[in-house]
């Protein structure tokens, strides 16, 4: 399977075979990600990291992935300290950075920014989140987590929270449709999954149900995938206040659930998962954050042609 020189922009262009290959490669990377084995697979390679929005996990797990494989990282750093603050366009920034590095990781507040960047880049662009658009590398680590902590085939999953602006859930549900998942969408009415995505999913053969509360679904699913209501995406702060604090997981809610239920969250969380839930067998969001390292190691190694 050829990934060399491919841009990673959206999950809509991935086949099940492509995803399975990345997940299998990530499994091979796990001992290196845990620091139990050494590797110089990406020695001499440079990954440029351009983040126009805040990040902890995506940025640092890409950087860790590169260091664990013996490669180097070139971080643009703060936007205010770069020439973007002088008005340089994204296109010009990409044209310049592609002559300094072997691949570019880009996070940007505008939907479509990664695709635009790919039109100006001779090296692979890895979309690390484009506004309310897509977050494909998060999806790959989510699938890896589900494979490790639950099961991918025949999965029943509830996506909870901000399904309108949530790029993680937009990307994830396209991938889940390839595995025949039964997808339940739970959100405030104002933050429903966009109709065009639901139509796409149904056209791809997915079974989609929409509900209003976690209680209605909690005993019927293998995975509850929580998301944050993203204050920063609301044009009007008053609209945010209307929907904040509606969907939460508390220890009480988990009293009678099956031990196999897994709770995931791309993080950061604000208050949608009570900290007491962290101690339960259901919580797997911190493991999920770790799995970003082997998955991103696999992706970078594949697009740079260091693995096939
Ligand atoms: N899940 C995720 O994208 O986290 P960060 O915003 O911290 O990168």
């Amino acid at each position: 399977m050829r990934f060399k020189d491919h841009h990673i922009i959206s999950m809509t262009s991935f086949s099940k075979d492509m995803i399975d290959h990345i997940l299998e490669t990530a499994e091979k990377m796990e001992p290196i990600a845990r620091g139990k084995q050494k590797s110089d697979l990406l020695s001499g390679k440079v990954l440029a990291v351009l983040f126009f929005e805040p990040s902890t996990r995506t940025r640092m797990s890409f950087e860790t992935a590169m260091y664990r494989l013996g490669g180097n990282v070139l971080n643009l750093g703060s936007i205010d300290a770069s020439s973007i603050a002088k008005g340089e366009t994204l296109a010009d920034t990409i044209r310049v950075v592609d002559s300094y590095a072997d691949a570019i990781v880009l996070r940007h507040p505008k939907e479509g920014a990664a695709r635009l960047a790919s039109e100006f880049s001779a090296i692979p662009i890895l979309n690390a989140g484009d506004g309310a658009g897509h977050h494909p590398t998060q999806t790959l680590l989510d699938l890896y987590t589900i494979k490790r902590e639950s099961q991918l085939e025949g999965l029943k999953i509830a996506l909870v929270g901000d399904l309108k602006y949530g790029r993680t859930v937009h990307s994830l549900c396209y991938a889940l449709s390839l595995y025949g998942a039964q997808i339940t969408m739970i959100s405030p009415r104002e933050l429903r999954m966009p109709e065009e995505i639901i139509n796409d999913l149904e056209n791809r053969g997915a079974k989609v149900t929409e509900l209003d509360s976690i209680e209605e679904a909690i005993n019927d699913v293998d995975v509850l995938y929580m998301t944050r209501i993203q204050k920063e995406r609301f044009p009007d702060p008053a609209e945010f206040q209307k929907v904040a604090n509606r969907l939460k997981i508390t220890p009480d809610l988990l009293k009678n659930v099956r031990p196999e239920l897994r709770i995931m969250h791309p993080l950061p969380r604000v208050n949608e998962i009570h900290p007491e839930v962290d101690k339960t067998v259901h919580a797997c969001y911190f493991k999920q954050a770790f799995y970003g390292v082997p998955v991103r190691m696999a992706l970078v190694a594949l697009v740079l042609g260091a693995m096939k």
Side-chain angles (χ1 to χ4, degrees):
M1 198 163 296
R2 271 186 61 85
F3 282 93
K4 188 172 181 307
D5 301 330
H6 274 217
H7 300 297
I8 307 291
I9 306 297
S10 152
M11 287 314 295
T12 55
S13 57
F14 276 73
S15 67
K16 188 166 177 280
D17 282 351
M18 289 165 82
I19 295 172
D20 287 341
H21 185 64
I22 294 168
L23 303 190
E24 281 157 24
T25 309
E27 237 166 285
K28 292 179 195 150
M29 294 291 185
E30 218 183 291
I32 308 167
R34 292 187 186 279
K36 290 184 179 155
Q37 271 179 31
K38 292 210 175 304
S39 170
D40 59 1
L41 189 69
L42 297 183
S43 171
K45 297 290 184 189
V46 176
L47 181 70
V49 176
L50 277 60
F51 275 60
F52 291 70
E53 268 191 345
S55 168
T56 298
R57 279 148 291 275
T58 312
R59 182 178 59 76
M60 294 187 75
S61 61
F62 264 116
E63 292 180 350
T64 306
M66 211 53 197
Y67 289 127
R68 291 284 196 206
L69 291 174
N72 292 291
V73 172
L74 185 62
N75 193 327
L76 177 75
S78 151
I79 297 304
D80 290 343
S82 76
S83 284
I84 293 151
K86 301 175 201 161
E88 187 163 43
T89 61
L90 177 62
D92 280 0
T93 304
I94 295 292
R95 277 194 195 112
V96 171
V97 176
D98 90 349
S99 62
Y100 298 160
D102 300 295
I104 296 174
V105 179
L106 175 70
R107 171 169 289 187
H108 199 281
K110 288 219 172 83
E111 204 170 322
R115 190 163 306 282
L116 176 84
S118 71
E119 287 164 16
F120 293 93
S121 178
I123 61 174
I125 298 285
L126 297 132
N127 181 6
D130 59 327
H134 291 268
H135 196 347
T137 72
Q138 176 72 43
T139 290
L140 291 163
L141 79 89
D142 292 341
L143 296 173
Y144 188 77
T145 306
I146 295 168
K147 190 176 169 193
R148 293 293 308 270
E149 307 296 327
S150 183
Q151 88 278 330
L152 260 175
E153 298 295 338
L155 180 75
K156 293 182 187 170
I157 185 168
L159 309 178
V160 184
D162 177 359
L163 308 186
K164 178 177 180 182
Y165 299 115
R167 58 195 175 200
T168 59
V169 284
H170 295 168
S171 284
L172 181 59
C173 59
Y174 278 102
L176 289 172
S177 70
L178 299 172
Y179 290 86
Q182 290 184 38
I183 308 172
T184 303
M185 314 272 190
I186 303 174
S187 66
R189 194 169 317 168
E190 300 86 334
L191 295 177
R192 282 186 61 216
M193 182 66 75
E195 201 64 47
E196 74 181 72
I197 297 185
I198 294 186
N199 290 340
D200 277 355
L201 296 175
E202 287 174 342
N203 290 335
R204 289 162 71 111
K207 187 167 178 293
V208 179
T209 311
E210 290 184 275
L211 295 175
D212 296 321
S213 73
I214 299 172
E215 286 85 340
E216 289 172 88
I218 199 161
N219 289 313
D220 293 328
V221 295
D222 305 302
V223 173
L224 274 178
Y225 188 99
M226 300 298 293
T227 62
R228 179 174 63 95
I229 308 289
Q230 303 171 97
K231 192 174 183 179
E232 68 274 23
R233 303 265 179 249
F234 281 75
D236 177 356
E239 292 301 311
F240 168 74
Q241 287 306 336
K242 280 189 206 161
V243 292
N245 304 315
R246 285 228 203 130
L247 294 164
K248 290 185 183 182
I249 299 205
T250 59
D252 265 0
L253 195 60
L254 296 174
K255 264 184 188 152
N256 297 314
V257 299
R258 291 177 302 124
E260 294 80 19
L261 174 73
R262 291 291 168 267
I263 300 170
M264 295 174 59
H265 193 309
L267 304 178
R269 70 174 150 184
V270 182
N271 57 7
E272 55 279 1
I273 302 178
H274 192 285
E276 286 293 314
V277 174
D278 301 356
K279 298 181 211 150
T280 69
V281 292
H282 310 292
C284 63
Y285 25 92
F286 292 113
K287 279 188 193 171
Q288 184 183 352
F290 163 72
Y291 290 140
V293 179
V295 168
R296 289 175 171 130
M297 289 166 85
L299 260 182
V300 177
L302 288 164
V303 299
L304 293 182
M307 287 188 86
K308 286 211 165 88

